[in-house]
Amino acid sequence: MSATEQQPAGPGVVERHGRALMPTFGVPALAFESGLGAVLRDTEGREYLDLLGGIAVNVLGHCHPAIVEAVTAQVAHLDHVSNFFATAPQVELAERILGIVTPGGAPEGSTVFLANSGTEANECAIKIVRAHATATGRSDRILALTHSFHGRSTGALALTWKEAYRSPFEPLMPGVEFIPANDVAALEAALTPDVAGVFVEPIQGEAGVLPLDDDYLRTLRTLTERTGALLVVDEVQTGMGRTGKWMGHHRSGIVPDVVTLAKGLAGGMPIGACVALGEVGHLLGPGSHGSTFGGNPVCAAAALAVIDTIEEDGLLDRAAELGHWWRRELRATRVPHVCDVRGRGLLIGVQFDEPIAAAVVATGREAGFILNAAAADVLRLAPPLVLTRDQAASFTRALPRLVTTASEA
Ligand code: PLP
C-alpha cells in the first residue's frame, strides 16, 4: 500500500482511543474513517449525515476537492519555514482576511496575526487589549458576557463564563467581569472609563445558540467608542459564512477593534486569526507575540481555497437562504417538545422544553445523523454550508421520531 492510500481504521479504535488519549473529551461515540460532502462514514462502513460539521468547522464539507488540491499542491511545494520568513500563501491569506473582515475591506493600518486555533486567536486579542491598557493608562478590567465561550487556555478561560470549566484551574487571568448579554443598563453600569476591552460573540454557540441583538451590538460599539475600551468580536464560530455573512456581526453594521477567527477559516485544517483593525493594528510590535506554526503555508493554502470557494459557489447566500428555509420548516413541523428554533444562517439552535438534547443526539446517531447538544435542552446544528436542501429535509422529517423516542427513553 502506498503512503497516500488510506489504511482502514480497523476495529477497536474507540477502545484504543480510551487507552492512548487523555480522556478530556470522554469516550467517543464513534470512530470515523472517511467523509465526503456532508456525509461521514464510520469504521463499520455506516454512513451519517454530518449536522455538526466538526463543530462548525467543515464549511465546505469533508474532503472538498478545492481544499484537497490546495493542500496537496502546497505540501508538495513548500511545507513550513517559520515566521522568520514570509511565504506567499501566508501574506495572501492575511490580505484576503482584511478584505472580508469588514464589508468594503478593513480600515487603513489593519493587520492580521495568524495562529493555530480560536483560543490562540483570542489570546492574541487579550494581549492587544492589555497593550492598549498599558498605552492609555487603563486598568486590567475586561468585560465579557454571561454564557460566553472564548477557549480553554488560562487567558481565554478567564473570559469563559461556565464556572465548572474555570474553577478547577483558578487563579486565572485577573480583571475579568461578566455582565448579562443584551442588557444595556448592565453594560452602562460596568463600562467605566478604566475598562480596557469588551469581548463578545455575535451568537453564543457553545451556550446553546444564543444571538446577541443587533441593537445591543450597536450600543456596545457606541459606548466603547465613547469610553475608549477596545471591542473584541469573537467570530471563531460565527465567522466564515456560517451565519450567511462573512462575519456574524456584519448584520449590525458595526466595525469592531479586533475580530478573532478560526474553525471554518481553513475548512478543517488548523488555523486561527486575530485581526486588529485600524490603529489597533500596530499595538503588538516585534517580540510581543509569536507562534511557530501560525501562518503555516499549507493551512494558509487551505484557507485561501475556502475563501475562493465560498465566493465562487455563492455559499454566503446559500447559508442564509437554506438556514432561513430550514428554521421555518423545523418550526412548521411542530415537533413534540420543541419550543423554539433560533439562529442565523446555518448555526441553528433547537430548544426543547425538557433536558432531552443528549438523548436526541443518541437517537439521532442510531438513525444516521451526527448531532450535538450545546446545552441539556438545546440541539445545535452547524452543518457544512454545502448541505443540500434534501439532506436538511431528511433531518426535519426524522426529528419527530427522534424526539419521541428520546423523551420516552
Ligand atoms: N471562541 C468561540 C466562540 C468558540 O466557539 C470556540 C470553540 O468552540 C473558541 C473560541 C475556541 O476555539 P478553539 O477550540 O479552536 O481553540
Side-chain angles (χ1 to χ4, degrees):
M1 177 175 279
S2 80
T4 51
E5 272 175 79
Q6 184 63 49
Q7 290 270 5
V13 177
V14 170
E15 290 73 17
R16 282 161 49 208
H17 181 289
R19 285 192 294 274
L21 280 108
M22 208 176 278
T24 53
F25 288 95
V27 181
L30 289 169
F32 287 117
E33 191 174 29
S34 61
L36 195 62
V39 176
L40 283 167
R41 185 187 288 256
D42 72 12
T43 49
E44 313 293 313
R46 228 184 130 206
E47 292 194 339
Y48 301 80
L49 183 61
D50 183 7
L51 299 180
L52 176 59
I55 321 183
V57 166
N58 301 89
V59 284
L60 303 190
H62 298 278
C63 304
H64 191 285
I67 297 182
V68 173
E69 279 162 30
V71 166
T72 309
Q74 186 59 47
V75 79
H77 193 66
L78 182 66
D79 47 9
H80 173 83
V81 293
S82 92
N83 280 307
F84 292 139
F85 308 98
T87 68
Q90 164 209 44
V91 174
E92 194 183 335
L93 177 60
E95 290 168 351
R96 296 291 294 278
I97 289 173
L98 291 174
I100 60 173
V101 72
T102 50
E108 194 59 35
S110 304
T111 58
V112 179
F113 180 86
L114 291 172
N116 310 286
S117 67
T119 301
E120 288 178 56
N122 284 331
E123 287 293 333
C124 181
I126 291 168
K127 277 193 167 177
I128 291 172
V129 168
R130 287 231 159 153
H132 171 66
T134 306
T136 58
R138 275 160 224 275
S139 72
D140 64 0
R141 285 181 68 217
I142 300 179
L143 305 182
L145 301 183
T146 55
H147 303 286
S148 60
F149 185 90
H150 296 289
R152 304 275 204 150
S153 61
T154 51
L157 186 57
L159 296 164
T160 290
W161 185 67
K162 210 171 184 177
E163 179 71 23
Y165 291 169
R166 280 187 290 121
S167 59
F169 305 105
E170 285 168 346
L172 301 170
M173 177 183 71
V176 179
E177 287 163 42
F178 293 99
I179 56 171
N182 290 324
D183 182 337
V184 173
L187 174 64
E188 281 172 336
L191 189 61
T192 48
D194 62 322
V195 170
V198 184
F199 278 70
V200 297
E201 300 152 81
I203 301 175
Q204 296 178 318
E206 294 305 297
V209 191
L210 307 174
L212 270 195
D213 298 338
D214 289 337
D215 276 345
Y216 180 80
L217 264 181
R218 284 189 278 267
T219 305
L220 179 57
R221 179 67 287 190
T222 306
L223 295 181
T224 46
E225 263 166 7
R226 198 172 295 158
T227 65
L230 295 187
L231 175 55
V232 181
V233 178
D234 179 339
E235 293 275 6
V236 167
Q237 187 154 159
T238 46
M240 301 312 294
R242 171 69 39 203
T243 67
K245 304 264 186 206
W246 277 116
M247 303 292 144
H249 71 269
H250 281 183
R251 254 177 47 145
S252 70
I254 65 156
V255 178
D257 297 302
V258 181
V259 173
T260 56
L261 292 169
K263 289 195 183 279
L265 179 54
M269 295 292 286
I271 196 165
C274 178
V275 191
L277 292 158
E279 57 193 33
V280 178
H282 289 85
L283 269 176
L284 296 186
S288 57
H289 201 42
S291 165
T292 296
F293 290 121
N296 168 276
V298 180
C299 294
L304 289 168
V306 167
I307 295 172
D308 282 344
T309 307
I310 289 178
E311 279 173 352
E312 284 159 18
D313 293 358
L315 292 182
L316 299 182
D317 287 347
R318 186 193 166 78
E321 284 156 22
L322 182 61
H324 183 74
W325 172 83
W326 201 12
R327 285 193 300 280
R328 214 182 46 211
E329 292 287 300
L330 285 165
R331 284 185 204 111
T333 304
R334 302 200 178 282
V335 182
H337 296 292
V338 170
C339 54
D340 188 25
V341 179
R342 56 178 176 259
R344 287 180 199 141
L346 288 173
L347 183 55
I348 298 176
V350 179
Q351 176 78 51
F352 300 116
D353 59 10
E354 285 182 14
I356 55 170
V360 175
V361 170
T363 56
R365 196 163 53 238
E366 288 297 304
F369 297 100
I370 299 303
L371 304 170
N372 168 255
D377 54 357
V378 182
L379 211 58
R380 167 178 48 182
L381 305 174
L385 309 186
V386 296
L387 187 80
T388 66
R389 200 177 260 230
D390 282 352
Q391 287 172 325
S394 72
F395 174 70
T396 313
R397 277 195 305 277
L399 190 57
R401 188 171 40 85
L402 303 185
V403 172
T404 307
T405 313
S407 66
E408 285 166 2

